[in-house]
Amino acid sequence: TKTCDVYGATGKHDLYLKFTGGSGSLFNFDWWRFKEPYVGVEKSVKSGALKGNEIKVYADKKSVTLKSGSFASNNNMKVELYDFSGKMVCTLFQGKTKQHDLSFNLPAIRSGTYLVKILAGSEAFTKTINIQ
């Protein structure tokens, strides 16, 4: 089993595998996969401040919009953006809000796949987005 990190790949590409070596099981190849990075949060809301609150995350060019029935206005909420390697890019929002929609302009963000992490109280929610 071999692993490696892939950085900076966005969009659709052809995949080429390069086999090197001179002896042994050079072409003993069974399968490959891309594994989603782990950033330390659950993918679904189970209880607490975000329970029962369907959160939709939209990305359009250089902006991200969160839509919800209501965000947890009694709790501090934090919205963070991570690159697909799991490195935090920036904090989009931190504080309390009663708004149903939150929009963030990202003019300096490069195109690619990102993770939006929403924290409210002791709960967390993540969503994968593509910024073009």
Side-chain angles (χ1 to χ4, degrees):
T1 301
K2 302 289 181 185
T3 62
C4 70
D5 294 329
V6 177
Y7 297 101
T10 60
K12 185 177 177 180
H13 297 277
D14 293 330
L15 175 68
Y16 297 93
L17 302 174
K18 180 179 178 181
F19 296 89
T20 59
S23 63
S25 300
L26 182 59
F27 293 103
N28 187 5
F29 181 78
D30 190 21
W31 56 273
W32 67 271
R33 72 175 172 169
F34 287 108
K35 184 176 165 185
E36 184 175 318
Y38 177 70
V39 293
V41 297
E42 295 287 330
K43 285 191 162 217
S44 61
V45 178
K46 295 180 180 174
S47 64
L50 296 174
K51 182 180 181 182
N53 194 6
E54 184 178 353
I55 300 171
K56 294 182 180 179
V57 181
Y58 301 96
D60 181 29
K61 296 187 181 182
K62 297 291 184 179
S63 68
V64 174
T65 301
L66 309 178
K67 293 185 179 266
S68 172
S70 65
F71 289 108
S73 60
N74 292 330
N75 293 296
N76 279 325
M77 186 171 82
K78 190 175 194 180
V79 180
E80 299 171 329
L81 186 68
Y82 289 82
D83 68 17
F84 215 60
S85 69
K87 180 180 173 187
M88 189 167 88
V89 175
C90 64
T91 299
L92 298 172
F93 177 83
Q94 186 168 358
K96 295 181 180 183
T97 184
K98 293 183 179 181
Q99 296 178 337
H100 297 287
D101 297 348
L102 294 173
S103 291
F104 311 100
N105 290 323
L106 306 169
I109 300 294
R110 293 173 45 188
S111 298
T113 303
Y114 292 87
L115 298 171
V116 174
K117 176 179 169 182
I118 304 165
L119 298 134
S122 62
E123 288 298 310
F125 170 80
T126 59
K127 178 70 176 173
T128 304
I129 60 168
N130 289 309
I131 296 176
Q132 301 174 8

